[in-house]
Amino acid sequence: MPEPFFPVHQKLIVELAARHHLPTIYPFRSFTDEGGLMSYSIDVPDLYRRAAGYVDRILKGEIVADMPIQQPTKYELVINLRTAKTLGLEVPPSLLARADEVIE
């Protein structure tokens, strides 16, 4: 589960998982960029774009308490094939087809 502990120690977590040959799915894309096997997470840039609309509404005087709470609507699946190969895993083509990004 995502929590503040993970990003702070992300490099160590990825290294330990690799050292012990553990396949992993992370809550943030940055872990997969660091060498983790997979991540399934919210699309952070999309959240920032949507937040800009809220900032605009607040600056125009809208009452914050009257604004609806929004939840993420866009998620991304990232797969690191280099890590899969290192772990001796074969990622099914159907999963690769569903991935938003594949790191080769």
Side-chain angles (χ1 to χ4, degrees):
M1 295 298 296
E3 64 173 67
F5 169 81
F6 288 126
V8 172
H9 300 288
Q10 131 180 337
K11 187 172 184 165
L12 177 63
I13 293 169
V14 171
E15 287 174 1
L16 288 171
R19 185 181 314 151
H20 296 287
H21 303 285
L22 297 173
T24 53
I25 299 177
Y26 294 101
F28 302 108
R29 177 204 171 98
S30 58
F31 283 85
T32 309
D33 293 336
E34 186 76 42
L37 178 61
M38 292 184 201
S39 64
Y40 185 69
S41 62
I42 58 174
D43 185 345
V44 175
D46 180 60
L47 287 181
Y48 290 145
R49 283 189 291 276
R50 292 174 52 204
Y54 265 59
V55 171
D56 180 57
R57 291 167 64 182
I58 292 167
L59 292 175
K60 289 180 178 173
E62 193 164 334
I63 299 171
V64 176
D66 294 339
M67 296 171 64
I69 295 173
Q70 291 188 359
Q71 294 193 7
T73 57
K74 190 173 179 187
Y75 295 83
E76 66 177 353
L77 172 64
V78 180
I79 301 172
N80 189 325
L81 284 182
R82 282 180 280 159
T83 303
K85 185 177 178 182
T86 302
L87 293 172
L89 300 173
E90 185 176 327
V91 180
S94 59
L95 185 58
L96 290 173
R98 292 180 181 187
D100 295 292
E101 186 174 338
V102 176
I103 300 171
E104 295 191 47

